[in-house]
Amino acid sequence: MAFATINPYTGETLKTFPDATDEQIAQAIEDADNTFKTWKTTAFSQRAAILQKAADLLRTQKDHYAQFLTLEMGKIIGEAQAEVELSAQIFEYYAKHAEKLLEPEKLPVLDPAEGEAVVVHEPLGVLLAVEPWNFPYYQIARIIAPQLSAGNTILLKHASNVPQCALAFEQLMQDAGLPKGAFINLFVTHHKIEDILKDPRVHGVALTGSELAGASVAQLAAKYLKKSTLELGGADAFVVLADADLEKTVKWAVFGRHWNAGQVCVSSKRMIIDEKIYDQFLEQYTKGVAALKAGDPMDPSTQLAPLSSQRAADQVKEQIKKAVKHGATAVEVGEKVPAQGAFVQPTILTNVTPDNPAYYEEFFGPVSMILKAKDEQDAIAIANDSHFGLGGSVFTSNPKHGFEVAKQITTGMVFVNHPTMVKADLPFGGVKRSGYGRELIGLGLKEFVNHKLIDVVDIDAPF
C-alpha cells in the first residue's frame, strides 16, 4: 500500500508520499551508522536535554501534533491530545532516569580478593523500528526514547496510513536538537525490510504489529542473526469476580473496550463474568455502550471514532458475520453510527463457545465478547484459554485477593480494578503469540544493548 493520508471520517485522500528509493535507504543507513559513532559517546546530560526538549515541544504544541492523529487514523481529538502527553511523559522519564538505569553493575563474585567483575551496558548501533498506526506517536516514543538514551540510532518504518505523523515526529526530534542521522523516517514498503536488516551496520529490529508481520520480521531477524523484539496482538481478559463493584466495573468495561474505537492491542476484548452477576453486568454494560456517541473525531463531544480505514471496518464486520455463522449471538447497540466514515456499529457477542473461531480471535474494533464463568477458577481458566498473552484485568472488592488471582493469569501485564493501561513508568510486553521482549522502563532500555562483562583480575592471583 502506498504511503497516504486518507481521512477515515471523510474517506478523502489528502496527500500521498513516494516510497523511499534504494539510494535513499542506503544513505539513511550510512547516516545512521555515522551518527552512531559519535552519539554513543555523547554525554547523558546532552541526551537528556534533547529528550526533555522533545517533551516540552510536544506539550507546548499539543494541538498541532494531535490534529495529525485525528486526521490520519481517526482518533478522537481528546484521545489524540492524551497520546501527545503520554509521549512527552516517556521522553521525560528517560531524561530523568536513563543514566541511573544504565549504570555499570558490580557482580557479587565468590572471592572478591581475586578482583572485580562489572557488567556495562553499551549500545549496539543502528536499529530498525517497524511501527503500527493505532498509536502513531506513542509507538515511536516508546522505542526511540529508551534507545536514543542508550546510545543507539534508529530508522523508522511506520505504517503506510500515518505518513504525516511519522514526518511530524521526525521534525520534532530535529527541533529538539537531535543530531542528523540519529532518527530517520523512511517510507519503505514491507519487502524492503530485508534489505535493511541484512546490512551489517543494522543490529536489531523492534516491531509492533500483527502476528503475521511479527512472524515475518522475526524470520528475517533470525536469518541475519539480528536481535528482535515483538509486540503483537492481544485478546485481553477482563475478569469480573462476584464481589466486584458493578457500577464502577461497568464504566471501566465500557471505556476499556471502546477507547481508540477498540483498536488497541490491550483493549478489554474478552469480558469474563461470574455467572452470579452475569445478567446484571450484561444489562448495565449494554446500556453503557449504547450511550456512546459516534461522530466527527474532531468534535470534542464525540466518544466513538471511526476505524482507521474502510478496509479495517469491513474486516471487523466480516469477523462478526463469521462469529454468528458459528453460533454466536450478535446484538448491535446504540444509535446508528454515521453512514459517513469507517464506522462499525458497537456490537456485543454472547454465546461464543471454544469451537467458534471468534473465541480465539482478536477483534480490532468496537466488538465486545461477553463470556460467562461458573466461578473464580473457571474465570481464570477461560482467561488463560487464549493464544495471546498481552494484558488483562481483574475486578473485585478485595484488591489483595485480586492480586492473587492476577498471579494466576498468564499474560505480560495484569491490572487489578483497572483495564490494562499504558504509562511511561510501567513496562509493556507479553507472552505466547503476543510476542517477546519488553518496552519502557529499564527493561526496554536494555533490550538493545551489549551487556558486556569486564572482569578485572588481580595479577597476583594464584593460577
Side-chain angles (χ1 to χ4, degrees), residues 62-72 77 80-81 84 137 165 298:
K62 177 177 63 176
D63 293 341
H64 166 74
Y65 288 103
Q67 68 176 343
F68 290 115
L69 299 174
T70 302
L71 181 70
E72 292 199 308
I77 193 65
Q81 293 167 342
V84 173
Y137 296 153
C165 290
M298 285 289 188

Side-chain angles (χ1 to χ4, degrees), residues 14-250:
L14 302 175
K15 199 168 185 180
T16 60
F17 300 83
D19 294 343
T21 64
D22 290 343
E23 292 75 15
Q24 289 172 325
I25 294 171
Q27 187 64 56
I29 295 173
E30 183 176 347
D31 290 345
D33 184 56
N34 286 337
T35 300
F36 169 69
K37 294 168 184 175
T38 54
W39 180 248
K40 67 181 179 180
T41 57
T42 299
F44 276 110
S45 59
Q46 291 179 253
R47 297 179 197 170
I50 292 169
L51 296 185
Q52 186 60 59
K53 180 64 174 178
D56 296 342
L57 289 171
L58 284 170
R59 287 175 172 139
T60 57
Q61 302 176 44
K62 177 177 63 176
D63 293 341
H64 166 74
Y65 288 103
Q67 68 176 343
F68 290 115
L69 299 174
T70 302
L71 181 70
E72 292 199 308
M73 57 82 51
K75 192 185 298 283
I76 60 175
I77 193 65
E79 291 180 353
Q81 293 167 342
E83 182 178 339
V84 173
E85 171 58 26
L86 175 59
S87 301
Q89 290 174 7
I90 292 171
F91 282 124
E92 199 162 62
Y93 177 89
Y94 286 103
K96 292 180 178 179
H97 301 296
E99 183 174 13
K100 178 71 174 177
L101 291 169
L102 286 169
E103 284 182 348
E105 300 173 38
K106 185 175 180 180
L107 301 181
V109 296
L110 291 174
D111 187 357
E114 291 185 356
E116 183 177 83
V118 177
V119 173
V120 297
H121 311 290
E122 297 180 344
L124 296 179
V126 182
L127 306 175
L128 173 64
V130 182
E131 302 301 333
W133 47 261
N134 58 339
F135 289 91
Y137 296 153
Y138 161 70
Q139 304 285 7
I140 301 175
R142 79 179 191 189
I143 184 65
I144 75 168
Q147 297 315 320
L148 289 174
S149 297
N152 294 308
T153 56
I154 300 102
L155 304 174
L156 172 68
K157 183 260 178 284
H158 217 327
S160 61
N161 60 332
V162 290
Q164 293 193 64
C165 290
L167 289 173
F169 223 80
E170 184 181 43
Q171 186 63 53
L172 164 71
M173 300 313 298
Q174 292 175 13
D175 293 345
L178 190 68
K180 181 180 181 293
F183 172 58
I184 302 172
N185 172 66
L186 283 170
F187 291 138
V188 292
T189 56
H190 291 293
H191 71 274
K192 291 293 184 181
I193 290 176
E194 181 167 7
D195 292 341
I196 296 173
L197 284 181
K198 71 182 181 183
D199 191 295
R201 295 167 294 181
V202 177
H203 294 270
V205 56
L207 176 141
T208 299
S210 67
E211 285 182 78
L212 184 63
S216 175
V217 169
Q219 287 177 340
L220 290 174
K223 179 179 178 180
Y224 296 106
L225 298 177
K226 304 296 174 73
K227 173 69 187 290
S228 64
T229 60
L230 303 179
E231 304 293 351
L232 308 179
D236 282 20
F238 185 98
V239 177
V240 183
L241 303 183
D243 67 343
D245 182 321
L246 208 54
E247 182 179 355
K248 293 178 181 178
T249 300
V250 167

